[in-house]
Amino acid sequence: MSPTDVISWLLDSDPALRWQVERDLLDAPPSQWEATRACIPVEGFGAALLAKQDPDGQWAGGAFFPAGFFDDPANQNLPGQPWTATTWTLTTLREWGMDPAPLIERGTAELLAENSHWEYDRSLPYWAGEVDCCINAMTLANGLWLGADVEPLATWFVEHRMEDGGWNCEWESGSVRSSVHSTLNSLRALLIHEQTTGGTKATRAARASGEEYLLERHLAWRLSTQELLGPWVDHFLYPPRHIYSALRALEHFRLADRRDPRMEEAVSMVREAQQSDGTWLQQKVLPGEVWFDVDVPEREPSKWITLEALRVLRWWNEG
């Protein structure tokens, strides 16, 4: 495909993806991409997910896992967890850029406050979060999106930052070293908190610290050995769920509009993954039950990854 063909290919997509192509790659006027974005809750992927919401405000009857998931011992041997419960579904809709108005009209935040509790500890109300950094990051971001009172969760990230500057979901099990997965997910939520509320001196400092943790590693390398952080660093996938990659880290810094020369190696990884036809491939599909597929199988050209890669490279090249 030529560059023009790639854009045409991207535009032939669900509104959840198409509006981002119009805004971020074509510089279309707001009237155009806003009209496309307004289609998300009424057609395609967004409408299909909204139709799956339970009367009690949840999806699949649970906060992070479907209702009854832990009642069946066979589920402990699954290759991947289900991605259908409330937190994953809300995160998906928010990251697609859907206007939260339909969910607000349904009283979703209030219903979840009343009916949803964490499987980790059923005494914990939904908007209070639990102990996992990645779960709390999604909850903070989703709560801000829906207008819930989640300010205590922003403070939670300040209190649970590790001495090396980042976060680790295994902190409760005794881990004292940060994880790039947990750190990136925490940063994404703190950035949304700052953009929505202005943040506090403490949350802004925590975000700066976490970003420096990633930048010290050039978004790709172990600080101790200079080896690749893991095979997932340059394995780009959609949906990424909670998984770290150089592309996903660059997307965070694009949204924060913070360029740093230490990102160049990660940018090179993105460039080198582009195929001769101008697309990027789906390199991994996480196992686990989904409501429906939103992207292609492994080794096929991915519209979602191609959009994100082109958008990141455009931002980087304009700096």
Side-chain angles (χ1 to χ4, degrees), residues 284-307:
K284 176 72 174 178
V285 175
L286 296 177
E289 182 182 0
V290 295
W291 288 115
F292 48 83
D293 291 327
V294 298
D295 203 8
V296 295
E298 292 180 18
R299 308 310 301 169
E300 291 189 13
S302 163
K303 292 181 179 180
W304 289 100
I305 299 170
T306 299
L307 162 66

Side-chain angles (χ1 to χ4, degrees), residues 200-221:
T200 66
K201 182 178 179 180
T203 61
R204 291 191 295 271
R207 179 167 78 87
S209 171
E211 290 179 349
E212 185 61 25
Y213 172 85
L214 297 183
L215 289 169
E216 286 177 343
R217 291 153 179 80
H218 292 219
L219 311 187
W221 310 107

Side-chain angles (χ1 to χ4, degrees), residues 138-166:
M138 288 185 278
T139 307
L140 173 58
N142 293 338
L144 290 166
W145 181 54
L146 293 177
D149 179 12
V150 287
E151 190 61 27
L153 273 179
T155 302
W156 185 94
F157 282 98
V158 174
E159 296 169 345
H160 289 80
R161 183 175 46 142
M162 296 193 160
E163 289 187 7
D164 59 8

Side-chain angles (χ1 to χ4, degrees), residues 222-253:
R222 294 186 183 277
L223 202 59
S224 56
T225 64
Q226 298 304 302
E227 297 174 340
L228 200 66
L229 285 164
W232 25 262
V233 172
D234 58 355
H235 286 190
F236 308 143
L237 70 160
Y238 191 86
R241 309 300 183 189
H242 57 289
I243 300 297
Y244 182 95
S245 73
L247 176 58
R248 194 159 175 254
L250 286 167
E251 176 69 357
H252 165 76
F253 284 99

